[in-house]
Amino acid sequence: REAQSSKAPLQRIADKYAVVFTPATVIVCAVAYAISGDWDRVLAVLAIATPCPLILATPVAILGGMNRSARHQILIRNGGAIENLGAASAVLLDKTGTITLGRPEVSRVISLGSEGENELLRLAAAVEQGSGHLLARTLITEALARGQVSGHAEHVVEYSGQGVEGYAEGKRITVGGRSFIASRYPSERERIERFDADGNGGAALRAYVAVDGSFAGVIEYADMIRPGIAAFIRKLGEAGVRHVILLSGDRDENVKLAAEESGIREWHSDMLPAEKVDVVKKLMDRGESVVMMGDGTNDAPALTSATVGVALASHGRGIATEAADVILLADDPTRLLDGIEISRRTVRIAKQSIRYGLGISAVGMAFAAAGRIPPIAGAALQEVIDLAVILNALRASRRPMYGKR
C-alpha cells in the first residue's frame, strides 16, 4: 500500500501538447477578431481547432499497441505502462525465476550428524510441507523421488524469507538460510562458519538443516541461467537502456556468479523487499525511467514502485501479477524487448498522429482566420482530419511492412 501511494502520477502524451495547443487557439481567435471584427472567422477557427487529434490519437494508438502486445503474449494493464515502457533507461531484474530457469533441483545432500543423507532429506521435507517457498517444493519433490516420504510435521512455523521450523518424527527440525540457523542456534554458528570455510562456502544455492538445535547438514540446489540471457542483456544496452541491475535476496556468491554469467555489471545481494524498493526510488529520484522485472511475492513492492513493473506470470502468482503493470504470459523474460519495441512504435505513431493532426488543424486555422474557410467547411475539414488521425493511429496494432517492428 505504501509503494502504491508513493507512485507518481503519469503525464500523458496528449497533456503535453494540450498545454500549448489550447492557448494557441485562443490567441488565433483573438487575432482573427481583432483584425476583421468578424465572428464567423472566430467560429471557423474554433470549428477547425477542436482538439480531436489530442483526444483520439493517443487512446487509439495505445489500444492498438496493447492489442499487438497481447499477440506477443504481453499483457499490458494500462496505457500509462505502454507509454513509459519504451522510455526505460534502467531495467532491474530479480534473479531466481527471472534470469534463471526458476526450477532448481537438489544437487547434493550433505549430512554432518548421525542422520544419513536420505533421513536428513526426509526430515527436512516433512517440515517444508508447511512452506510455500519454491525451494520447499523442490526439496519435497526430491524426497518423493527417493522414496523418502514422511508424515506431516507438527507445530510448523514459517519465518517469512528466512526459513521454517517444526517437529517431525519426534525431532525439532529447522530449515533455512545460514544466518537464520545461526540466529536460531547461536552455539552452532562456529560449526556453520567452519563448514563453509573448509571449502564448502561456494556459490551453491543451499538450505541449512538443524536437528534438535544442532547443525545437521546442508541441502544444495542448482538453478541454471536461462539460455539467451546474456544476449538479452546486451540487446537491452543496444536499445538504449543505460542501467541493467540484478537484485536478489540470495547470497552474494550466487548473485555475483549469476551476474557474471549474464553479463550484468551491477548487482545487489541479500536484499529484503524494502531494500529493492529503495534501489528503485533512488534511480527514479535521479530521473531514470525504471522497469522492474520479477516473479515472486518479495518483488511486489518494487514492481509497484517502479515506473513500469513487469511480472513473469509463469512463475509469479497472486500479488506479484497484481502489482505489475505488464505481465509476460510466456516463460520468457526476453519478451521484454518486444514490449519495449512495441511501446516505442506505439508512442511514435501516437505522437505522429497528434502532430500531423494538429499541424493540419493549424494550417486550417490560419486560412479560417484569413476568411478563406467558412465555419461549415471548417467543421467538415475537422472531420476529415479526425478520420486521418484515427486511421494513422490504427497502424499501431499492425506489424510494420517489410518485417520491421
Side-chain angles (χ1 to χ4, degrees):
R1 288 195 298 268
E2 182 180 344
Q4 288 174 332
S5 64
S6 65
K7 190 167 185 176
L10 299 171
Q11 185 179 15
R12 306 302 298 276
I13 295 172
D15 296 340
K16 301 173 184 177
Y17 288 89
V19 171
V20 177
F21 181 72
T22 303
T25 300
V26 174
I27 292 171
V28 172
C29 289
V31 171
Y33 183 76
I35 293 174
S36 65
D38 185 357
W39 285 106
D40 281 350
R41 295 191 184 190
V42 175
L43 183 59
V45 170
L46 291 174
I48 295 175
T50 54
C52 291
L54 290 174
I55 297 170
L56 297 173
T58 300
V60 172
I62 292 297
L63 287 173
M66 292 171 72
N67 181 48
R68 183 160 175 250
S69 296
R71 294 199 295 269
H72 284 74
Q73 294 184 290
I74 304 170
L75 179 62
I76 299 180
R77 290 185 180 274
N78 55 71
I82 200 169
E83 287 184 33
N84 286 279
L85 185 58
S89 60
V91 173
L92 312 184
L93 301 169
D94 176 47
K95 183 179 74 69
T96 305
T98 302
I99 71 164
T100 67
L101 291 172
R103 296 188 296 272
E105 299 178 351
V106 174
S107 59
R108 187 167 60 147
V109 178
I110 304 173
S111 177
L112 303 174
S114 59
E115 300 81 10
E117 291 182 4
N118 285 341
E119 183 182 358
L120 186 69
L121 182 66
R122 184 177 70 250
L123 293 171
V127 296
E128 287 282 31
Q129 292 181 58
S131 172
H133 196 278
L134 172 64
L135 293 181
R137 297 196 295 273
T138 301
L139 193 153
I140 294 167
T141 300
E142 178 67 16
L144 291 173
R146 296 191 185 189
Q148 298 300 312
V149 182
S150 177
H152 287 287
E154 298 177 341
H155 308 298
V156 175
V157 178
E158 182 170 17
Y159 298 83
S160 181
Q162 301 178 70
V164 63
E165 186 173 72
Y167 289 83
E169 300 181 15
K171 301 177 181 180
R172 184 172 76 242
I173 311 301
T174 310
V175 183
R178 174 176 54 182
S179 58
F180 174 65
I181 301 297
S183 65
R184 293 289 293 168
Y185 309 109
S187 61
E188 296 297 296
R189 183 184 299 274
E190 185 177 346
R191 285 190 63 206
I192 294 172
E193 292 176 349
R194 188 164 60 249
F195 169 79
D196 287 342
D198 291 341
N200 298 304
L205 184 65
R206 57 174 49 151
Y208 291 73
V209 183
V211 177
D212 287 332
S214 176
F215 177 42
V218 168
I219 298 172
E220 292 190 348
Y221 305 85
D223 190 11
M224 303 297 292
I225 297 294
R226 290 176 183 269
I229 282 294
F232 165 62
I233 300 301
R234 185 177 65 253
K235 288 178 181 178
L236 283 175
E238 294 172 355
V241 177
R242 295 191 295 269
H243 308 281
V244 179
I245 305 172
L246 185 62
L247 307 179
S248 178
D250 200 0
R251 296 166 53 195
D252 186 67
E253 301 97 314
N254 301 340
V255 180
K256 179 181 179 181
L257 180 62
E260 290 175 347
E261 289 185 27
S262 305
I264 299 175
R265 297 179 180 178
E266 182 178 350
W267 67 88
H268 300 274
S269 58
D270 296 311
M271 301 197 78
L272 296 173
E275 292 173 325
K276 293 184 179 183
V277 172
D278 289 340
V279 174
V280 171
K281 288 183 176 180
K282 286 178 182 177
L283 286 168
M284 293 178 68
D285 289 343
R286 284 161 41 188
E288 304 288 351
S289 180
V290 179
V291 172
M292 171 70 196
M293 184 191 294
D295 71 323
T297 299
N298 60 336
D299 299 316
L303 293 175
T304 301
S305 301
T307 310
V308 180
V310 181
L312 281 168
S314 55
H315 291 292
R317 296 292 184 270
I319 191 171
T321 52
E322 287 298 322
D325 304 296
V326 178
I327 301 172
L328 304 185
L329 300 177
D331 186 20
D332 182 6
T334 65
R335 294 291 176 98
L336 178 64
L337 285 168
D338 290 325
I340 291 174
E341 286 189 54
I342 292 170
S343 169
R344 289 178 176 176
R345 183 169 184 267
T346 298
V347 171
R348 185 167 60 250
I349 289 174
K351 289 181 177 179
Q352 183 187 76
S353 297
I354 291 173
R355 289 167 180 167
Y356 286 176
L358 295 183
I360 297 171
S361 293
V363 173
M365 287 163 59
F367 277 95
R372 301 294 181 88
I373 300 177
I376 294 177
L381 175 60
Q382 182 60 43
E383 296 303 321
V384 173
I385 294 172
D386 294 347
L387 181 60
V389 165
I390 292 171
L391 291 175
N392 187 64
L394 284 172
R395 293 191 302 114
S397 66
R398 299 195 298 270
R399 187 182 182 88
M401 296 176 64
Y402 313 116
K404 296 180 181 178
R405 295 185 173 182

